[in-house]
Amino acid sequence: MSLVLTEEQTLLKETAAEFVQEKSPVTHLRELRDKSDATGFSRALWKEMSELGWAGILIPEEYGGSGLGLSEIGVILEECGRTLAPYPLLSTAVLGASALALGGSDAQKQALLPGVAQGETLLALAHQEKPRFAPYDIALNAKATSDGFELTGEKRFVLDGHVADRLIVVARTSGSVGEREGLTLFLVDPSASGVGVSRTNMVDSRNAANVRFENVVVTADDVLGDADRGADLLDALIERGTAAVSAELLGLIQEVFDRTVTYLKTRDQFGVKIGTFQALKHRAANMFSEVELSKSITIDALRAVDEERPFRERVVSAAKARTSDTAELVTREGLQMHGGIGMTDEEEIGLFMKRAKAAEVTFGDGGFHRDAFAKATGF
């Protein structure tokens, strides 16, 4: 099996690289952070990304998208990882579009997917309730009424939830907290009565929100998929999200490695380039090996999801565990090799470490996915 990009994916990757390096370099994130931008990204630039087709990659052609796969949006996320581009690709183009494409009725798809593809509609998955990722620890209650449901509870770490036009809310319609069965996904208008959205900023200055629901009324038409059987759809979204975050981490890892090697080749100490020191060469070689392993397993994970392979959840968990661990290694080594300047806010290498820390815990860190892999393979 060849773990290299196709000609079309290579072209898409080159286009994405050129675009984000010119229009969303690391300084773009810094500017948004320093002025406490209310949105956290440029809507005009998101519109341009959407015109390039990025927002509609996972959307079927009949709803205005291009009907491509996770492998294609993966190469874009990888390039966004290299510049820390703070755009709603994960929240809207991967998780939101997938939720509708996989679980939405035709009416829901007609109503929302064209707007998503055009960059006009933003979506956010409201799933997590506790600081640590636990897929089925859902306490938010959806009480059945005569014509729908009433939602009560709270969600945390809702990525881009402060600007979403629709929230995709995971609620419990039966069963107990921690059980896989009894979950239902709902489309909720954040302007509805009883919804309270509080913006938060994560350690990497990216957007998130805490959302409170107090007797929020939704109808049966707002259900995504089947009531009480939402875990199947939720699992599919987590699988796609996990592979997508791995792709973004891969880009981040590669960028930090490239910057560190460049620094080793230019920084003088004791009259020589510090890259000539054998100890640093060995550490750089270890980083290179881990980056290449991360690259191979991430490409395979993206393809496994697209091909709907049996046991693909093992490959996805292996990819997230590998990229999370490599991100920790490479950003730590990169920071140390840059010396004292690496600790300053003016030096960009530290911003990559912050993004790595946030991405590592998104959809489960390395420990979570090593455990998931072990359970899936019978250990």
Side-chain angles (χ1 to χ4, degrees), residues 65-79:
S66 55
L68 297 174
L70 207 58
S71 298
E72 281 70 32
I73 202 166
V75 298
I76 294 172
L77 281 161
E78 183 182 341
E79 293 308 317

Side-chain angles (χ1 to χ4, degrees), residues 1 3 9 57-58 67-74 77 93-95 98-99 101-102 232-247 296-320 363 369:
M1 178 172 55
L3 292 176
Q9 289 164 358
I57 280 184
L58 297 180
L68 297 174
L70 207 58
S71 298
E72 281 70 32
I73 202 166
L77 281 161
V94 175
L95 297 171
S98 294
L102 297 175
D232 292 341
L233 177 57
L234 178 62
D235 286 349
L237 299 182
I238 290 173
E239 184 176 84
R240 288 184 169 209
T242 303
V245 173
S246 298
S296 298
I297 192 65
T298 301
I299 292 174
D300 196 37
L302 294 166
R303 289 182 181 173
V305 176
D306 285 337
E307 296 166 3
E308 299 183 353
R309 283 186 218 157
F311 309 117
R312 60 185 177 278
E313 71 279 5
R314 302 178 186 182
V315 186
V316 172
S317 279
K320 185 59 164 59
F363 296 119
H369 283 285

